[in-house]
Amino acid sequence: MEYKFTDIEKKWQEFWKTNQLYKVPNDFSKPKCYVLDMFPYPSGAGLHVGHPLGYIASDIYSRYKRLKGFNVLHPMGFDSFGLPAEQYALDTGQHPAVTTKKNIATFKAQLDNIGFSYDWDREVQTSDPSYYRWTQWIFLQLYNSFYNRKTNKAESIKILENAFEKEGNTNFPMPNAQYTLPAFTSDEWKGFDERLRQEILMQYRLAYCGYGEVNWCEALGTVLANDEVVNGVSERGGYPVVKRKLRQWYLRITEYADRLLDGLQTVEFSDAMKEMQTNWIGKSEGAEIDFDIAGSDPAVAHKLRVYTTRPDTIYGVDFMVIAPEHELVEQITTTAQKQVVDEYIGYVKSRSERERMAEKKISGVFTGAYAINPVSGREIPVWISEYVLAGYGTGAIMAVPCGDDRDHKFAKHFNIPITNIIGEYYNGQDANPTKEAKLENSDFLNGIEMMKAAGIVVSQLELAGKGQRKVNYRMRDAAFSRQRYWGEPFPITWKDGVAYTLSENELPLQLPHVDTYQPGPDGEGPLSNIKDWTDRNLETNTMPGYAGSSWYFLRYMDPHNENTFCDRKVSDYWNQVDLYIGGTEHAVGHLLYSRMWTKVLFDLGYIGHDEPYKKLVNQGMIQGSSRFVYRVHGTNKFVSAGLKDQYSTDAIHADVNMVDGFELDTEAFRNWKKGEFADATFILENGKYICGAEVEKMSKSKFNTVNPDDLVAKYGADTFRMYEMFLGPVEMSKPWDTKGIEGVHRFLKKLWRLFYDETKGQLWTDEKASAAELKVLHQAIRKIENDTDRFSFNTAVSSFMIAVNELTDLKCHKKEILQPLLILLAPYAPHIAEELYNQLGGEGSVLNAPYPVFEEKYTRESSKEYPVSVNGKTRTTIDIALDAAQTEVEQIVLNNEVIKKWLEGKAPKRIIFVKGKMVNVVV
RNA sequence: CCGGAUGUGGUGAAAUUGGUAGACACGUCAGACUUAGGAUCUGAUGCCGCAAGGUGUGGGGGUUCGAGUCCCUCCAUCCGGACCA
């Protein structure tokens, strides 16, 4: 009997489906394990071999945990709102709902082909009204909450309203100090009209509407989040992005900065990932210091407030720099300098964000004004320069050229004298940002270490009322609205400029059907073109892509609940995602937003945990390995890669699927692209046409995509699964190479031959296993269990191969050995494992079999022990090297080889002995 | 510039706490069975060398009885953040 993988896989996939073996009950009596993949955006291109890498890893782990007796939640769904579907709709007129549905069907078929153990009953689609109903509901919770800095958690906005009524906002300072009315009393509050009250409350809400500079992308007609902008262009499409003021919705994620930072201590993310999130949050501790402007009327004295992380360098301040957009610019510029300042500001405005980032030219201009150092009383010139950013800190800095590189370059460029406060740490050539120097030229701070001085300076400034400690974050509130159609509508109506929420029983607010997807007027979204929508005064923005993905892991737990987004008892049971697998590209987007939403839902008491993911594994990207053919310029001749230097050629992408390794199938090439190259002639080397190669991103346009369906058809899903794992560690990025898949396929065939012989048929027996056979089995159990536990799937696959090789050598066909081996294999190659397990007469499905238990006694070496006396009858002096933990040696176990040598007269000179085990004998 | 990661045969890669480097597989070579094989099996395969032997984990230095693994330094590649005071 042959290994007919296609029949076997079809048979068992149907069996699992009809018997609902993947159905996961919310059975609270069993220990749980939640294994989650980042759900895909169902693009029109379908899956390529890069996608399933993480899915296979998580599927193996889920099946493994299931065998270990856990109730495993391993769901899949689709992040089906998003830009590409809408872009496609704009191009073709096809409704996003239609294309999305089609794409999802394709994805599901492709996924099922690989044999994943998803419980499709729990599938979620973010664009489904029964799902986004709850996205809208959670939005309302965000909208109706504020962050109470006293209790350090989100609380109902009603608590805030009551407080305002009683005592004004003295105990609840406004998070956004830029607002024109930062403080008010109880009486004032009572006097405010509805509109003003609502406007004030808006300054506190966790989801709020405001005007702000946003990243506006003209080409996409929409606003992008900071992390969707890469180097001044849009991440998707690479279109230019400019700043523009628009009415926008935001999430007040900045209030959670500290908790998002602290939470990282409690989760198992890679150091790289934690680092990225930490950098994105960008917490820095320092001080705000007020400098008076010299000569100004004390009554209206202009204070210049700066932010610094190094208050200890206060005596080294040689000049001040304020951002060109700073509000004080106009007020402090002297008449003499007015013209040059205006010119400079004009110049800065003419430069795009991109230019400012690309060419780091030193530029700036003196305002004519002087500030007074609040500690030394020294008068310091105030400059304007674009290297100071209006959006960070206070938009103004105190420049310490001897300690900061940018300040130093600026001082040198404009010939500003430099005060050295760090002695020999400063060489006159380059700034030195040391924190270790003992201060000089710093009056009462002289001789004090910089680290200590910082505290002293801040304390003194605080006493004098000229400064205070201040923590700054680089992270901004997240823009939460898009001028787009294909997203969740906001459950908000507008009346007289005041936002009102829909009531919960009006949800879901369904996305209306439209015939055109063109943007509305003034950068508004397509919804503003719909009369019925605008008549109802509904918000015309929609939510961004990350809205639906910020909580989907909760919906999987209780997907059909119509009373709540997820029952509290159910979320308490499934709790955190035990293993989350996905790419690094979501490091600062999705992962931060979903962490914030989880914390909010936790604060409001809807769930019992405040970090969504316990452990995160980042799968590497599978790149494409492109192939090129070289056409001799201006001809129809193609020259093999090794000879191309002799000609002038153009490189053309050739489809990797018609190349075997590097050798081109020239016939296939002639038939490719409807015969575009039908008349091609080839200049071969050694009778072959060799292609050039390059590693690139996997993409259809580069003809380097490989469809998993093709590989499954040729080798079977089990081979495909194991091969993807065999490629290397899941975390590592690597180019796809189909070549080695034969080896894995060969392994499965070899395994099959332990059970069946083509001529003899069934091979397995009920004989008792030998010690050698048991040793092979138990070594395999130990290794594979261990490897699976630590996600080292590539070495686990190797261990299977070793075991099967050894059993083949031993001609072992014993059920006692083979059956446990199949259970070990079931997570990796479920179809063949199920088939053979069944053939052996295993009870029920291998999916529910008990995992084999490793017993050490079977793996012990059976060697004889030779006690050797060292202090008694010595035949020679032996030097015994011990490791630190070892204090004495009672017995040395020598192996036969050493004894033999000893008897030949080669006495050991030194025996190296580590942790009770002899590791080396120096003869 | 800052931060993180990686660097091991022709190739993908192994090597739990420092303990025989290169497991396992691809590829290659030789052979067996075959009408044939892109099936299967056996053997060889880091490099230099006919051999004995030498050498070997990006380069250099160090700690150690012993270093792919730890420390210092330099180089290369990839990823992330970048005028954040």
Side-chain angles (χ1 to χ4, degrees), chain A residues 49-313:
Chain A
V49 288
H51 293 106
L53 182 73
Y55 303 158
I56 294 170
S58 65
D59 195 58
I60 289 170
Y61 193 71
S62 316
R63 288 173 180 273
Y64 167 73
K65 287 305 243 188
R66 177 177 177 158
L67 290 174
K68 285 264 183 174
F70 287 86
N71 191 23
V72 181
L73 179 55
H74 182 224
M76 181 50 85
F78 298 94
D79 192 10
S80 45
F81 269 136
L83 228 51
E86 184 158 343
Q87 203 67 48
Y88 190 74
L90 272 169
D91 297 342
T92 65
Q94 281 207 61
H95 196 279
V98 175
T99 50
T100 300
K101 195 179 166 194
K102 209 174 85 194
N103 293 347
I104 288 178
T106 311
F107 264 66
K108 278 174 91 164
Q110 283 187 294
L111 290 170
D112 281 341
N113 213 4
I114 302 168
F116 292 122
S117 59
Y118 303 131
D119 178 0
W120 282 118
D121 266 3
R122 292 176 181 260
E123 175 188 357
V124 302
Q125 296 177 9
T126 55
S127 61
D128 188 326
S130 69
Y131 178 85
Y132 68 68
R133 168 187 182 182
W134 298 108
T135 309
Q136 291 171 335
W137 182 86
I138 295 172
F139 169 81
L140 292 182
Q141 310 312 308
L142 289 160
Y143 181 82
N144 288 321
S145 309
F146 76 110
Y147 195 81
N148 186 338
R149 293 187 184 183
K150 295 261 156 40
T151 56
N152 249 315
K153 60 177 204 165
E155 288 175 11
S156 166
I157 199 89
K158 294 218 172 66
I159 292 176
L160 195 64
E161 280 183 271
N162 291 340
F164 289 170
E165 193 81 25
K166 265 192 219 134
E167 52 184 33
N169 74 342
T170 43
N171 278 316
F172 296 101
M174 217 168 262
N176 176 11
Q178 256 88 59
Y179 190 69
T180 43
L181 189 75
F184 51 84
T185 63
S186 159
D187 288 339
E188 282 172 321
W189 172 258
K190 284 172 187 158
F192 294 156
D193 63 11
E194 169 72 3
R195 185 181 168 145
L196 185 52
R197 284 185 178 198
Q198 286 303 325
E199 212 173 289
I200 288 168
L201 288 174
M202 195 63 106
Q203 306 303 312
Y204 290 86
R205 297 180 188 274
L206 288 180
Y208 66 95
C209 199
Y211 284 85
E213 268 200 346
V214 294
N215 303 304
W216 170 256
C217 180
E218 189 66 47
L220 296 173
T222 191
V223 171
L224 302 170
N226 278 337
D227 50 275
E228 288 174 320
V229 182
V230 181
N231 292 328
V233 298
S234 65
E235 187 185 27
R236 193 168 289 159
Y239 303 110
V241 173
V242 293
K243 294 279 180 196
R244 180 171 164 182
K245 283 224 169 192
L246 267 184
R247 186 177 64 73
Q248 288 298 324
W249 286 92
Y250 292 92
L251 293 183
R252 208 178 294 280
I253 193 170
T254 48
E255 291 285 358
Y256 279 89
D258 268 325
R259 281 174 61 188
L260 288 170
L261 222 41
D262 295 344
L264 288 176
Q265 309 285 326
T266 68
V267 294
E268 293 169 59
F269 292 6
S270 69
D271 287 344
M273 176 61 58
K274 289 185 180 180
E275 187 75 24
M276 272 189 246
Q277 295 209 356
T278 306
N279 285 345
W280 184 261
I281 294 166
K283 182 176 184 170
S284 68
E285 291 176 53
E288 282 185 353
I289 302 175
D290 290 334
F291 286 63
D292 288 332
I293 299 295
S296 56
D297 183 346
V300 287
H302 297 123
K303 272 201 180 98
L304 180 56
R305 176 168 288 186
V306 302
Y307 178 72
T308 179
T309 52
R310 299 298 302 277
D312 47 311
T313 61

Side-chain angles (χ1 to χ4, degrees), chain A residues 825-844:
Chain A
L825 185 69
Y828 290 82
H831 310 87
I832 190 175
E834 183 81 293
E835 171 71 18
L836 291 173
Y837 183 79
N838 232 268
Q839 296 288 335
L840 287 192
E843 279 188 27

Side-chain angles (χ1 to χ4, degrees), chain A residues 482-785:
Chain A
R482 296 296 128 94
Q483 288 64 45
R484 281 280 165 169
Y485 169 71
W486 193 232
E488 299 87 347
F490 283 85
I492 292 285
T493 56
W494 290 92
K495 198 179 163 196
D496 302 328
V498 177
Y500 293 94
T501 61
L502 298 188
S503 70
E504 285 182 20
N505 53 33
E506 288 175 274
L507 302 182
L509 173 61
Q510 293 232 20
L511 194 58
H513 195 89
V514 292
D515 297 318
T516 166
Y517 312 94
Q518 301 303 322
D522 303 323
E524 282 196 70
L527 291 179
S528 63
N529 293 328
I530 302 171
K531 192 164 174 303
D532 177 53
W533 198 262
T534 49
D535 282 352
R536 288 158 71 195
N537 296 313
L538 287 162
E539 169 66 60
T540 57
N541 283 320
T542 54
M543 298 187 203
Y546 64 82
S549 61
S550 290
W551 73 283
Y552 72 112
F553 43 89
L554 293 168
R555 189 61 179 172
Y556 282 135
M557 298 172 179
D558 197 9
H560 306 297
N561 197 324
E562 295 195 0
N563 302 315
T564 172
F565 70 102
C566 176
D567 189 270
R568 175 68 196 260
K569 281 202 246 18
V570 176
S571 63
D572 278 351
Y573 170 65
W574 290 112
N575 210 269
Q576 283 179 296
V577 173
D578 294 279
L579 173 65
Y580 195 30
I581 296 189
T584 342
E585 64 271 20
H586 298 108
V588 291
H590 160 66
L591 285 170
L592 274 180
Y593 301 133
S594 53
R595 290 182 60 215
M596 177 205 169
W597 284 42
T598 302
K599 287 177 191 301
V600 174
L601 291 171
F602 169 77
D603 289 351
L604 299 176
Y606 293 118
I607 55 175
H609 55 281
D610 84 332
E611 279 292 341
Y613 322 112
K614 193 165 167 190
K615 183 182 172 80
L616 174 72
V617 170
N618 292 113
Q619 102 240 22
M621 182 121 75
I622 294 208
Q623 294 129 317
S625 183
S626 306
R627 293 291 180 269
F628 293 92
V629 292
Y630 301 94
R631 181 163 61 191
V632 179
H633 196 74
T635 70
N636 216 0
K637 271 186 199 154
F638 290 80
V639 59
S640 188
L643 306 170
K644 78 177 163 72
D645 292 344
Q646 299 166 23
Y647 304 83
S648 153
T649 57
D650 304 312
I652 297 171
H653 273 102
D655 194 322
V656 290
N657 294 300
M658 42 187 208
V659 181
D660 180 22
F662 296 95
E663 190 186 344
L664 181 72
D665 180 342
T666 52
E667 262 325 293
F669 182 69
R670 282 204 182 97
N671 295 326
W672 191 43
K673 283 194 177 175
K674 295 176 185 141
E676 191 184 320
F677 303 107
D679 304 327
T681 56
F682 302 94
I683 302 169
L684 308 175
E685 49 183 318
N686 305 324
K688 292 171 178 174
Y689 188 96
I690 304 300
C691 295
E694 209 173 295
V695 173
E696 298 178 294
K697 206 176 162 185
M698 203 172 264
S699 125
K700 274 207 155 168
S701 63
K702 297 188 174 97
F703 299 105
N704 61 5
T705 58
V706 180
N707 188 331
D709 295 350
D710 297 342
L711 294 172
V712 170
K714 193 163 174 196
Y715 300 102
D718 288 335
T719 300
F720 178 69
R721 290 166 63 103
M722 291 195 93
Y723 182 58
E724 285 238 359
M725 293 301 100
F726 186 67
L727 276 176
V730 183
E731 298 92 334
M732 205 174 279
S733 291
K734 58 229 148 194
W736 176 263
D737 180 10
T738 307
K739 266 273 159 181
I741 198 169
E742 301 275 358
V744 177
H745 193 56
R746 228 168 267 163
F747 152 74
L748 286 176
K749 283 194 281 191
K750 202 165 177 176
L751 172 81
W752 187 263
R753 285 198 302 273
L754 287 176
F755 295 80
Y756 286 107
D757 183 278
E758 272 188 50
T759 49
K760 279 186 269 179
Q762 176 183 327
L763 291 174
W764 65 85
T765 66
D766 287 323
E767 276 173 88
K768 202 102 183 82
S770 70
E773 290 162 346
L774 283 165
K775 189 175 161 188
V776 173
L777 174 65
H778 282 269
Q779 274 175 344
I781 297 173
R782 177 173 55 187
K783 191 74 179 29
I784 289 159
E785 188 173 7

Side-chain angles (χ1 to χ4, degrees), chain A residues 19-64:
Chain A
N19 292 285
Q20 299 204 326
L21 277 158
Y22 294 143
K23 199 166 169 59
V24 182
N26 285 344
D27 176 359
F28 299 167
S29 66
K30 277 170 96 179
K32 70 96 191 185
C33 183
Y34 188 178
V35 181
L36 183 65
D37 292 286
M38 289 185 187
F39 63 166
Y41 174 80
S43 80
L47 289 179
H48 62 64
V49 288
H51 293 106
L53 182 73
Y55 303 158
I56 294 170
S58 65
D59 195 58
I60 289 170
Y61 193 71
S62 316
R63 288 173 180 273
Y64 167 73

